Amino acid sequence: MDVMESAYDPQRVEAEWYERWEAAGVFRPEHNPDGEPFTVVIPPPNVTGSLHMGHALNHTIHDVLVRRKRMQGFAALWLPGTDHAGIATQNVVERELAAEGMTRHDLGREEFVDQVWEWKRKSGGRITRQIRRMGMSTDWSRERFTMDDGLSTAVRRVFVDLYDQGLIYRGDRIINWCPRCHTALSEIEVEHEEETGELVHIRYPFSDGSGHVEVATTRAETMLGDTGVAVHPDDGRYRDVVGTTVTLPLVGREIPIVADDAVDPEFGTGAVKVTPAHDPTDFEIGERHDLESISIFDESAVVNEAGGRFAGLDRYAARRAVKEALEAEGLLVGVDEHTHSVGHCYRCGTVVEPWLSLQWFVEVQPLVGPAIEAVRTGDIRFVPSRWENSYFHWMENLRDWTISRQIWWGHRIPAWYCDDCDHVTVAMEDPTECGACGGGSLTQDPDVLDTWFSSALWPFSTLGWPTDTEDYARHYPNDILITGFDIIYFWVARMIKMGLHFPGRKPFSDVIIHGLVRASDGQKMSKSLGNVIDPLDVAEEHGADPLRLALIQAAAPGQDVPFQIEWVEAARRFGNKLWNAVRFGLNHVSDVPAEGGYPEDPGPEARWILSRLAEVTDEVDALLDEYRFSDAYGRLYNFAWSEVFDWYLELAKAPIRDGDDGAHAQTVGVVLRDLLKLFHPVVPYVTEELWSHLVGDGLLAGARWPEPPRHDAPEGFDVFRDLVVKVRRFRAEHGLSPRHPLEIEIADPDGVASPWWSVQFASLADVEPVFVDAVPERTGWTRLVSGSVQAFVSLEGIVDVDAERERLRKAIADVEGQLAASQKKLANESFTTRAPAEIVQKERDKLAEFEARLDKLRTQLDELGGPGD
RNA sequence: GGGCGCUUAGCUCAGCGGGAGAGCGCUGCCUUCACACGGCAGAGGUCACUGGUUCGAUCCCAGUAGCGCCCACCA
């Protein structure tokens, strides 16, 4: 006999199965060579990263879907990989260099990039090891990295094609610049936060000395780069000064007053200083009025020579100095407190600077239409669908995408400039001569591409595109995409655009959006708050399976999950329960087959649990098909615990022990086996371990999803169960211990509570009932009623009659209340005429039942006699 | 300024047009031969508020309040 420890030990159970699964190749789609493909790609975590709770939730959802599909016979592929995470990774390596007092410039580009690769070789495996530790069924033979040769080819193909199509261009634009990372950022890489700042009012004197105009700014230092003042064209206050000039204080530049619709006459004085090089709106005003753009900052946001005597000060020092200087000249009118939103770099938190510079852009408009259409028509579906609105809104207001980054780690832009004629060559192969003049002196653009450029290609680049590989043919489009709402814009929207434009087909059909895992108090987990819980720590202490089950049960569609360790503890206790249920099973059955094996002729109890198993399997399947994971596994959890363990296993004990086995041992075996299968997608380790004991044939990870046979539930089981509960409650209410002997006679005129159950009744209620035909006429007995069945309990020597009277009065009051409600409802004519017939009938049945029950309870109270009646 | 979400048992959250649910916590009883990481029986909710639709609303609609998130060229 197979020996099992009496307690579930997650650490021990989770030690070895992963290697066995991998060695057996079950995670590869080839495991089901004839199956229909089912494909999902992991949202590639940053190669610098470490697994956090968000990954744990995201990956668990993936694994539940993928493992189930695999068990259903699909050629399931979950493709894993990592993202090179340009800025983030470069920052990590630069920090290491800084610790040695060096910068990347000390190394030079080539050596620095080599060093990042070295770092990646050394540390990049951490997160993939963590994914394995969590039991995720990813196909590691197909692991990809966004800077692999193949993916780099895809990136280059896309860049070259978009360039040739005129959808990638280079130009001077105001972009968001991080003065710490020294690179451009796209719009969505800037995080805006409301901050209390200042609104500085400044006088700009008219050049002819006839007075001044007052402007207001939150960034006084930018006045050093002002090249104009703008007012609204219809603003009567300034009608006469439009076209004249003011003299810029501290600088002395004569700058024009222009009229422009972008000015809000209601704000401040209605006159705005214009700094085209350092504000996007001002840039546009400048373009319209042909104003000069004067950049006053260097790449670190330190004032440059254009700032005259302020040169060398960083932006904040310059702000103070400029204000002081203005004050000294009597041109500072005042400073008000002012709340406005300030942009920060999403990688390092530094306040970003709008900066005029030469960058590469993707013109997104031509890509947007089909991407909107695909979701509009339902070809691509968001779950929950409310995210579609955000998607539409974002797509409809998209501006061109800044794709160049002034860092070294990433896909280098495949553009070469001719040193002789300035012609730009963009090509798949590194050119050796200029496409225009034939000159041999070419310089490659130093910039690399936005990390998200390569992520956008992930659903097809990972499968071999642009080469027409077997994997690409078989697994593109992917079926689903699972991610948090926080990267819908960064990633999902761009994959849809690129997928539709390049492979020419949608990248996936269903986009499943889940919430964020938060701290138990609902706050975001963050290092600065010190409330981060590491999933690996949880896995070490409580097990990966319990963590997975806890996350799945907590994750209602699209809702955030406040993480509570108590859920994990509860999930571990469930594992222990399952463990011991199988241990019980092993005492009585052996050779449980991997499939089938359902008893041909089950008795009523077995038929009951088998009918429930079939029903619950159907419900779980339906819920999982709708991606309602928490509902599905909540349902299954309750079924397993409160029906299989608490009732069926208890019911089966007596007949098995008495040798009057019937089909019980067999049923126990198959029901437990099917539970292992149903639970396997969420808790793969413990179910695999238990499978090895109970079934021992092959791997559960490669087994077939259950399809239990349909049975009609035997009549009267609920009546029987209710009666057992009432007997137990009777004892509890009278302060009797659970096994206190009772003398009971059961009248079952309709034969509902089959005498076959007498053994069960004895076993579960700890009494030996006598079945009687007629309702006995006795005093000193009370009755417990369930449907048409009545159990007469002798009160002799065991019960305080007053207590029993009290119990009955409570029961009567309770039923009277329900009865009254029911009567009222049925007395309402509009209810009986308008409500569906079945609802009305149900109500009538209820009423009849209440009346019968009340009648019996009253009779009983009479039988007890005594005061007050 | 626009949009979205949340408000249900002491706590954290599911549910969602026809008799209020889970986990944890709480009360009482029980070391019964799978499990004390357990069993049995309980207590505990005017389902934020106000209107409306409906035979019927925790669930649909409108509004109010509080909390949270996203978006917006908020000089």
Side-chain angles (χ1 to χ4, degrees), chain A residues 265-483:
Chain A
E266 306 291 320
F267 189 94
T269 60
V272 57
K273 59 191 273 311
V274 181
T275 322
H278 297 292
D279 183 280
T281 309
D282 291 8
F283 181 80
E284 289 168 16
I285 294 175
E287 294 250 286
R288 286 194 284 271
H289 301 279
D290 208 20
L291 301 178
E292 195 184 350
S293 286
I294 299 177
S295 191
I296 61 156
F297 290 134
D298 70 8
E299 60 174 19
S300 299
V302 170
V303 177
N304 61 23
E305 58 283 0
R309 60 180 150 126
F310 299 96
L313 297 177
D314 78 28
R315 50 190 165 165
Y316 301 109
R319 187 173 304 171
R320 285 190 296 274
V322 163
K323 281 188 293 182
E324 281 166 19
L326 288 168
E327 176 133 53
E329 298 199 10
L331 296 171
L332 186 72
V333 180
V335 179
D336 297 334
E337 200 171 85
H338 183 70
T339 303
H340 60 137
S341 110
V342 177
H344 299 258
C345 171
Y346 84 138
R347 285 302 177 208
C348 74
T350 302
V351 172
V352 299
E353 201 60 45
W355 212 45
L356 180 61
S357 61
L358 183 58
Q359 303 288 347
W360 288 90
F361 299 88
V362 173
E363 184 189 342
V364 293
Q365 272 316 313
L367 306 176
V368 159
I372 290 177
E373 200 53 21
V375 176
R376 186 99 55 206
T377 59
D379 203 23
I380 297 175
R381 203 162 65 98
F382 280 69
V383 182
S385 61
R386 67 182 137 88
W387 291 107
E388 292 175 4
N389 292 328
S390 308
Y391 172 85
F392 291 139
H393 184 259
W394 190 68
M395 280 297 207
E396 284 157 4
N397 294 285
L398 255 192
R399 275 170 292 167
D400 287 357
W401 176 15
T402 314
I403 50 170
S404 43
R405 296 289 178 275
Q406 287 66 49
I407 57 174
W408 290 347
W409 174 242
H411 299 101
R412 191 148 174 192
I413 289 179
W416 283 260
Y417 308 108
C418 177
D419 295 335
D420 300 323
C421 74
D422 281 350
H423 176 77
V424 181
T425 305
V426 170
M428 283 305 289
E429 300 300 329
D430 293 8
T432 53
E433 58 183 47
C434 173
C437 71
S441 181
L442 298 172
T443 306
Q444 187 173 7
D445 193 295
D447 292 353
V448 301
L449 288 165
D450 182 359
T451 286
W452 297 100
F453 192 92
S454 53
S455 323
L457 320 181
W458 188 251
F460 47 94
S461 65
T462 49
L463 296 169
W465 186 94
T467 306
D468 193 15
T469 62
E470 208 173 304
D471 268 7
Y472 174 65
R474 202 161 155 70
H475 293 286
Y476 191 86
N478 305 166
D479 289 272
I480 56 180
L481 188 279
I482 307 166
T483 191

Side-chain angles (χ1 to χ4, degrees), chain A residues 60 64 72 124 161 171 433 477 541:
Chain A
T60 301
V64 165
Q72 288 175 326
D161 286 358
E433 58 183 47
E541 195 179 344

Side-chain angles (χ1 to χ4, degrees), chain A residues 90 104-105 107-109 112-113 406-410 446 448:
Chain A
Q90 173 155 332
R104 72 184 205 245
H105 301 284
L107 291 183
R109 181 166 192 146
F112 177 78
V113 169
Q406 287 66 49
I407 57 174
W408 290 347
W409 174 242
V448 301

Side-chain angles (χ1 to χ4, degrees), chain A residues 247-259:
Chain A
T247 302
L248 188 62
L250 310 183
V251 179
R253 186 162 51 238
E254 207 169 301
I255 59 178
I257 297 177
V258 300

Side-chain angles (χ1 to χ4, degrees), chain A residues 801-819:
Chain A
V801 177
D802 286 339
E804 179 60 8
R805 198 176 287 121
E806 194 46 45
R807 184 185 78 79
L808 287 169
R809 287 212 179 95
K810 249 175 79 182
I812 287 169
D814 197 49
V815 178
E816 278 174 342
Q818 292 175 294
L819 183 85

Side-chain angles (χ1 to χ4, degrees), chain A residues 19 34 76 78 105 128 213 247 337 345 460 465 482 542 828 834 852 867:
Chain A
E19 285 167 21
D34 302 325
W78 180 11
H105 301 284
T128 56
V213 61
T247 302
E337 200 171 85
C345 171
F460 47 94
W465 186 94
I482 307 166
H542 304 276
N828 182 348
R834 298 197 193 198

Side-chain angles (χ1 to χ4, degrees), chain A residues 584 588 648-658 664 760 763:
Chain A
F584 167 77
H588 306 293
Y648 181 64
L649 295 189
E650 296 303 323
L651 282 172
K653 278 178 184 174
I656 289 178
R657 196 183 315 119
D658 297 347
H664 283 299
Q760 304 297 358
S763 153

Side-chain angles (χ1 to χ4, degrees), chain A residues 25 146 247 278 311 313 383 559 610 624 680 765 799 804 826 842:
Chain A
T146 46
T247 302
H278 297 292
L313 297 177
V383 182
Q559 292 303 121
L610 289 168
L624 288 176
H680 181 255
V799 158
E804 179 60 8
L826 286 165
K842 204 172 150 193

